[in-house]
Structure formats: structure tokens, C-alpha cells
Amino acid sequence: MSTANFDGDAALLVDGVTVPVRVRRSARARAYRLSLDAARGELRLSLPARVPLKKALAWAQGHEDWVRAQMAQQPPATLLTNAAVFPLEGRDVTIHWVEGAPRTIRLDGDRLLLGGAAESVGARVQRWLVARARAVLESESLALARDHGLIVASVGVGDPRSRWGSCASSGAIRYSWRLILAPPDVRRATVAHELAHLLHMDHSPAFHAAHARILGADPRPARAWLRAHGAGLHRYRA
């Protein structure tokens, strides 16, 4: 059972601008800790359970230079609104909202076309991406598993902060829906990675050999791509 809990939201001032802070209390903490969740672009403050929040925020405010430097390294968020450009399977696609057009989303070349309410474009595009990711990842997982005599119990998607996929001993696999934004070879390497865990629930040499065998290629370029560009996939949001 976790000994930590979120205590709500607070804020710091950085160059006169209010920066939201997610406050996390922990019975195990013995000191303050300020961190930036790169995947979410979220500033977090951890503190011992019984320390007054005001005291912890005063400490955090003293680290304004650190916060400024960390935020400067983060890619700006891209909202999935009309005219926004985002990667779909590694290629740039532009959202094209047309007043009076059907609400149904349709991919036409390098344009994602939709009508409906303008204020709900972002939420609807993200739902479309999640659904597309679920369908593609389920299809690829089941097909590749069948080719290698493996059994997958289920395939789902979510939006985890720090991993691209996970495989339970039950055979249930979950992926980050954001893999649909990455190039197909990167996505397939991640699928092969999780399928290899059906054989080896570790990252031993035997696992890495199984990963390469299932993928049918060297997975290292895909890992390198995710290390270099993966954090940027989290900047697209509704």
C-alpha cells in the first residue's frame, strides 16, 4: 500500500508568472523534494506528511532558478485544436475543422477532417487517436503473437507517464496510446518488446534475444528513437 497521497494543487511564482505545483505528502519522506514530470510538464513538490504546506512552498520558492531552468528545457505543449500539426505514425498531420461538416473524424492524406462543435475538437481528436491506437496495437500484438506461438490475454491502452508498454504474467498487455504518434517501426518494436515478456518477465540476455527474434530486426534503433523523441510525444493534448 502506498504511503503517499496527493494533497492538492498549489503554485509558485517564476518571473512573476504563476506556475501550478502538484503537492504530494509521504509518510516516508524526510525532506522536501522538487521535481518536474517531463512527460506531463508537471511540477511536483514532495514533503513529509506533517510539515506545513506553507513552509514547504517557501522552500520551493527559493529554488526558482532551478524551476526556470527545468521549464526552459521542456517542449511547449501542442493543443489538438483546429490547424494544429501533430505526428501520426511518424508523419505530420494537420487538424482541419470545417464549420457545418459532419462531426465524424476522417483522415484524408495529411489532414484530419472534422466538423461538429469547435470547442470539443481537441477532446474528440484525442479520443480518435486513443481508439486508433487501441485498434492498431491490438491487431499487431495478436498477429505477431500468433506468428510466434504466443498467447495474449488482452490488449489495452492508457496514458502512463514513464513507460510505453507493460505485460502482466497473466498475458494482459497495455500500451501508451501515444505510440500511435511514433513511427510504425518504433511501435512494432514496442509490441515485440511486450510479447517477449510473455517468455521472459525480466530484461535478461534471453529476453533481449527473444525481443530481436520476435521483431525480426535489431530493436536498438527503436529504443534510441524513444529515448531521443519519446518525451516530446507527451506534449500533445486536448
Side-chain angles (χ1 to χ4, degrees):
M1 181 179 295
S2 173
T3 60
N5 64 287
F6 282 109
D7 194 42
D9 296 320
L12 298 178
L13 283 177
V14 178
D15 297 328
V17 177
T18 300
V19 176
V21 180
R22 186 75 158 146
V23 178
R24 181 176 182 266
R25 293 184 179 271
S26 172
R28 294 180 179 177
R30 295 293 178 265
Y32 306 130
R33 182 171 182 269
L34 199 56
S35 61
L36 186 67
D37 183 340
R40 301 287 185 183
E42 182 179 81
L43 191 63
R44 294 188 167 191
L45 172 62
S46 300
L47 63 153
R50 298 188 180 185
V51 171
L53 178 58
K54 184 176 180 180
K55 184 177 180 181
L57 287 172
W59 172 86
Q61 188 65 60
H63 291 74
E64 181 179 346
D65 289 346
W66 181 88
V67 174
R68 182 188 300 108
Q70 294 298 310
M71 292 179 62
Q73 296 175 22
Q74 299 303 304
T78 296
L79 299 180
L80 297 170
T81 55
N82 183 40
V85 179
F86 69 94
L88 177 62
E89 301 196 42
R91 62 190 179 90
D92 284 347
V93 169
T94 302
I95 298 172
H96 189 64
W97 176 79
V98 180
E99 186 175 3
R103 191 173 186 277
T104 302
I105 296 176
R106 180 169 61 90
L107 182 62
D108 180 19
D110 61 357
R111 298 191 303 168
L112 197 66
L113 306 175
L114 74 162
E119 61 271 18
S120 66
V121 166
R124 287 189 287 131
V125 168
Q126 183 163 315
R127 286 197 297 269
W128 183 87
L129 288 168
V130 171
R132 185 180 178 96
R134 183 182 297 111
V136 170
L137 287 162
E138 181 177 43
S139 176
E140 290 185 345
S141 297
L142 295 179
L144 200 54
R146 189 165 51 247
D147 290 345
H148 291 272
L150 301 172
I151 297 176
V152 175
S154 63
V155 177
V157 297
D159 195 11
R161 294 179 176 85
S162 59
R163 59 174 61 186
W164 298 105
S166 63
C167 178
S169 57
S170 64
I173 296 176
R174 286 186 65 79
Y175 299 101
S176 167
W177 70 261
R178 295 177 185 278
L179 285 168
I180 201 65
L181 307 178
D185 59 322
V186 173
R187 184 185 68 238
R188 285 192 289 267
T190 306
V191 169
H193 181 110
E194 300 312 326
L195 292 179
H197 278 311
L198 295 172
L199 299 171
H200 306 282
M201 295 297 289
D202 54 30
H203 289 101
S204 62
F207 163 83
H208 290 297
H211 184 191
R213 183 175 68 254
I214 293 169
L215 181 60
D218 184 353
R220 286 177 295 183
R223 287 201 300 268
W225 191 96
L226 283 172
R227 282 196 300 270
H229 307 288
L233 300 183
H234 287 274
R235 71 187 182 95
Y236 299 96
R237 60 193 67 172

